[in-house]
Amino acid sequence: MPKLVQLLLKEDAAKFTVASFGEHFKTLYDPSKDFTCFDGSITIPFRFVNDDYCDCGDGSDEPGTSACTDCLFHCSNVGHVPMDIPSSRVNDGICDCCDTSDEYNSTAQCVNNCLILGEAAREEQRRQQEVFERGAAIRDEFIKEAKNEIAECEMKLQTLRKEIAVLEAIKNEKLALKKTAEEKERIAIEKHKLKVDESNKARTEEEIAEAAKEDQKLAEAAFIDLDTDGDEKIHFTELKPHLRFDQNKDGEVSDDEAKFFLHMKEEMDLDEFISVGWVIMKPYYFAGRDTSSMRPPKLRTPKPADIPDLSDSDLPSELTEPSTNTEESGSDDRDVDYEEDSKVPPFSPKPTEETPSVPYDEETQKLVDIAKRAREEYSDAESKYQDLLTKIRELEVTLETDYGPEKEFMALRNRCFELSERQYVYKLCPFDKASQKSIGDSSSEVSLGRWGKWTGPEDNKYQSMKFEGGAGCWNGPERSVEIFLNCADRNALLTASEPARCEYKFEFQTPAMCVRAVEKEPEHEHTEL
Ligand code: MAN
């Protein structure tokens, strides 16, 4: 409180309620006497009063100037509301106080209109009181409703907790059944897969054996072709006429070039040729030829007529040269397949249904079906359990939320309030979320935050609340809103502003704020009405 007013109030409090403060003020300043500061510290000649120099520590020598900082003039304004004005406004020719007391020593023609103003003020006060009364009555209802709702939530929670215990047991039982069924299914599918693998492998082996046979037939045919004297041996001289064996391409097949295909021996019989000679010779023998057309006819015993005519004369000259690119299609290809097969990782069936490449036998199919049903039943039990868990969590959150000392703010939950302000529609859903969207663009909703906490001062915590963690502001903080609450006889979002970028401020009125005086700390107000 300003120094001068404080002093006056202390010393003459009784008088102020009956007499005009201004009149009383005049008696304290007697120009025929020296002036003693109100705090008694010093006495000065009266000419020092209002000389625009501050002599008294309490500022009492300068009520009509602004020389002493922090000094106020008090108008009692009987009939209306008392008022404190800076002492610099006393006797400045402007009527500040409705009781005219501030212009006690000036030429200003002030009129005392405190009664008229006071009447209007009292009318407004009565109106506010009515709003308050209606609000307080609604608040009482809110409190009652909240009590019922909380009791209901608690009961529901108890029931659901019992139900969830049952659902959990069912879920665990279904899980155990699923595990057992899936293990049986896994073993059955593995067995099935092994069977399929084995039969594939057997088929592969058959094919390899078949190819080896084919190759042997080719060797036999070539042997007969090259054994020109028919002595059942290939002599190296029998190879020399065949230019396809000319490895250094000098136009003739040398002895060594010919012997090379006979393991550097002079001659070779059929068995040795099949197992050793043919392997080396085959690419040279078929050099440049379309090997598919060279597959021998189905020979049992190779006869000259059965053997494809593979003499040099039939081969185009460019094909008589050995070519390493030319591959024989039979066993080589199959070798590759076989190797690739062996690289396939060991089979491990997944617990989910898969379409088998070979249909399951009846027993396996039965186990697969049982496991499928077990999975479905478990998933059904699990989702029922999760649904119930969500409901329980919602009830727990409701019961944990601070809805005010008498749960009076609970009436605001599950409700939303909107306000159009400039180009935006602001929405507030207490205890849930706040948002902003551009008018005419309903898809542009931007989150201003989710319910956070009460932020009022210690003695009035429920005066404001904060919503936090909204959409990130470009190059700035996450959006947030602070909501200031006032008493009224209906809920409404009154104002929305953005005092700092992405930090919003709402004003919200609600009957929940209309706390009756008996529930409130008495307020120390200086009124003289
Ligand atoms: C949008 C609105 C404004 C905010 C800016 C920040 O336009 O959310 O309220 O100030 O983004 O970039």
Side-chain angles (χ1 to χ4, degrees):
M1 191 176 281
K3 288 181 254 172
L4 175 58
V5 171
Q6 211 172 354
L7 259 157
L8 287 171
L9 286 177
K10 206 159 69 188
E11 290 181 2
D12 288 289
K15 282 185 196 160
F16 301 148
T17 55
V18 288
S20 147
F21 189 91
E23 286 306 310
H24 174 73
F25 197 82
K26 283 180 200 169
T27 66
L28 296 172
Y29 294 89
D30 184 351
S32 61
K33 291 187 204 158
D34 285 345
F35 177 75
T36 302
C37 304
F38 292 173
D39 61 6
S41 54
I42 49 168
T43 300
I44 52 174
F46 193 82
R47 67 176 190 281
F48 289 0
V49 172
N50 282 337
D51 68 346
D52 212 14
Y53 182 85
C54 193
D55 299 282
C56 301
D58 61 9
S60 52
D61 63 314
E62 296 295 321
T65 75
S66 53
C68 301
T69 53
D70 197 23
C71 283
L72 293 179
F73 177 82
H74 182 83
C75 344
S76 49
N77 288 347
V78 173
H80 190 31
V81 183
M83 193 165 85
D84 296 322
I85 57 167
S87 47
S88 58
R89 293 192 192 164
V90 174
N91 294 324
D92 63 351
I94 299 170
C95 310
D96 295 286
C97 302
C98 66
D99 65 359
T100 75
S101 60
D102 60 312
E103 297 302 317
Y104 65 89
N105 193 16
S106 86
T107 53
Q109 299 294 304
C110 300
V111 179
N112 186 331
N113 58 358
C114 284
L115 278 177
I116 300 165
L117 292 177
E119 190 46 47
R122 277 187 291 279
E123 180 52 38
E124 174 58 18
Q125 206 175 26
R126 266 196 298 277
R127 198 194 58 78
Q128 281 179 10
Q129 186 60 27
E130 278 167 26
V131 168
F132 173 83
E133 287 302 334
R134 282 197 299 273
I138 298 172
R139 182 175 181 272
D140 290 343
E141 284 305 306
F142 283 180
I143 293 169
K144 259 193 241 159
E145 280 165 22
K147 264 193 195 124
N148 291 340
E149 204 169 336
I150 281 169
E152 223 172 84
C153 282
E154 276 165 352
M155 258 168 55
K156 240 191 231 166
L157 190 59
Q158 261 186 352
T159 315
L160 294 192
R161 279 189 177 141
K162 275 181 206 150
E163 272 177 36
I164 202 145
V166 176
L167 279 196
E168 191 171 10
I170 294 175
K171 183 187 78 138
N172 289 342
E173 188 192 325
K174 297 286 180 198
L175 180 64
L177 289 174
K178 175 176 103 84
K179 278 187 183 160
T180 313
E182 280 183 339
E183 182 56 11
K184 285 184 183 166
E185 176 196 45
R186 189 187 65 77
I187 293 168
I189 292 180
E190 208 163 329
K191 263 194 208 153
H192 167 83
K193 183 76 183 169
L194 273 177
K195 259 195 242 163
V196 171
D197 281 355
E198 266 163 27
S199 99
N200 283 346
K201 202 169 146 194
R203 233 190 4 250
T204 309
E205 276 164 5
E206 248 171 51
E207 281 168 12
I208 291 169
E210 184 61 30
K213 249 194 240 162
E214 296 266 304
D215 196 45
Q216 187 175 329
K217 282 176 195 165
L218 282 174
E220 285 168 358
F223 188 87
I224 291 166
D225 174 38
L226 296 169
D227 179 19
T228 41
D229 61 5
D231 66 349
E232 296 186 353
K233 280 184 184 142
I234 295 176
H235 195 268
F236 75 92
T237 52
E238 288 171 313
L239 300 182
K240 286 174 67 97
H242 300 280
L243 276 177
R244 69 190 101 155
F245 300 132
D246 173 15
Q247 291 159 65
N248 62 6
K249 297 193 192 83
D250 62 355
E252 61 166 11
V253 180
S254 69
D255 289 358
D256 278 351
E257 280 174 330
K259 282 179 189 167
F260 169 74
F261 298 105
L262 304 177
H263 235 229
M264 298 318 284
K265 294 197 300 195
E266 302 236 321
E267 58 183 23
M268 205 174 247
D269 65 12
L270 179 61
D271 286 346
E272 200 179 357
F273 180 71
I274 289 169
S275 61
V276 182
W278 178 238
V279 180
I280 309 166
M281 182 189 284
K282 192 160 66 176
Y284 289 85
Y285 189 81
F286 290 130
R289 312 197 95 190
D290 174 5
T291 52
S292 62
S293 67
M294 289 175 195
R295 288 192 176 279
K298 295 200 183 299
L299 300 175
R300 281 266 117 70
T301 321
K303 292 180 204 131
D306 288 332
I307 299 165
D309 188 356
L310 303 172
S311 62
D312 284 342
S313 57
D314 283 347
L315 297 171
S317 61
E318 68 270 22
L319 298 181
T320 56
E321 291 179 10
S323 158
T324 46
N325 284 340
T326 310
E327 282 173 14
E328 209 279 334
S329 62
S331 60
D332 284 352
D333 286 350
R334 273 186 292 272
D335 278 346
V336 170
D337 285 348
Y338 186 67
E339 266 184 31
E340 276 184 355
D341 264 355
S342 68
K343 279 181 210 147
V344 171
F347 173 68
S348 61
K350 286 183 222 131
T352 51
E353 295 94 44
E354 52 182 44
T355 316
S357 54
V358 175
Y360 296 133
D361 57 63
E362 201 182 319
E363 186 55 24
T364 307
Q365 188 60 53
K366 207 168 119 193
L367 293 170
V368 167
D369 291 344
I370 291 173
K372 183 175 177 232
R373 228 177 8 259
R375 271 191 290 276
E376 284 165 359
E377 281 177 17
Y378 169 70
S379 138
D380 191 42
E382 166 74 13
S383 76
K384 278 187 185 140
Y385 174 81
Q386 287 302 339
D387 286 353
L388 205 58
L389 208 58
T390 308
K391 279 187 197 147
I392 288 179
R393 193 62 212 127
E394 277 167 11
L395 285 172
E396 283 172 347
V397 167
T398 300
L399 292 172
E400 282 160 15
T401 302
D402 182 356
Y403 291 117
E406 296 182 85
K407 313 280 181 206
E408 60 272 50
F409 295 99
M410 194 172 195
L412 303 179
R413 93 186 230 281
N414 295 337
R415 297 195 59 187
C416 294
F417 304 90
E418 285 194 353
L419 172 75
S420 295
E421 185 77 60
R422 293 177 302 278
Q423 73 266 43
Y424 298 114
V425 176
Y426 290 92
K427 184 155 123 184
L428 171 68
C429 308
F431 305 103
D432 187 10
K433 60 186 180 185
S435 65
Q436 172 203 54
K437 66 182 172 198
S438 297
I439 288 175
D441 181 5
S442 53
S443 63
S444 68
E445 190 162 289
V446 172
S447 165
L448 300 188
R450 299 204 73 86
W451 156 251
K453 57 188 179 226
W454 291 102
T455 51
E458 220 171 281
D459 60 340
N460 197 3
K461 180 179 160 192
Y462 302 97
Q463 181 189 282
S464 57
M465 47 164 81
K466 188 143 192 194
F467 282 57
E468 300 159 313
C473 189
W474 193 75
N475 262 350
E478 284 179 338
R479 285 173 174 78
S480 63
V481 202
E482 188 152 23
I483 295 128
F484 295 85
L485 307 171
N486 285 310
C487 156
D489 54 358
R490 62 181 195 95
N491 293 316
L493 181 53
L494 297 178
T495 67
S497 55
E498 193 180 348
R501 201 163 72 97
C502 295
E503 289 173 14
Y504 302 82
K505 181 183 159 192
F506 290 178
E507 280 178 310
F508 184 74
Q509 62 168 41
T510 171
M513 284 295 283
C514 304
V515 185
R516 286 185 207 284
V518 280
E519 300 166 49
K520 229 177 164 185
E521 285 273 291
E523 276 181 272
H524 294 281
E525 256 181 39
H526 183 75
T527 99
E528 297 177 30
L529 296 178

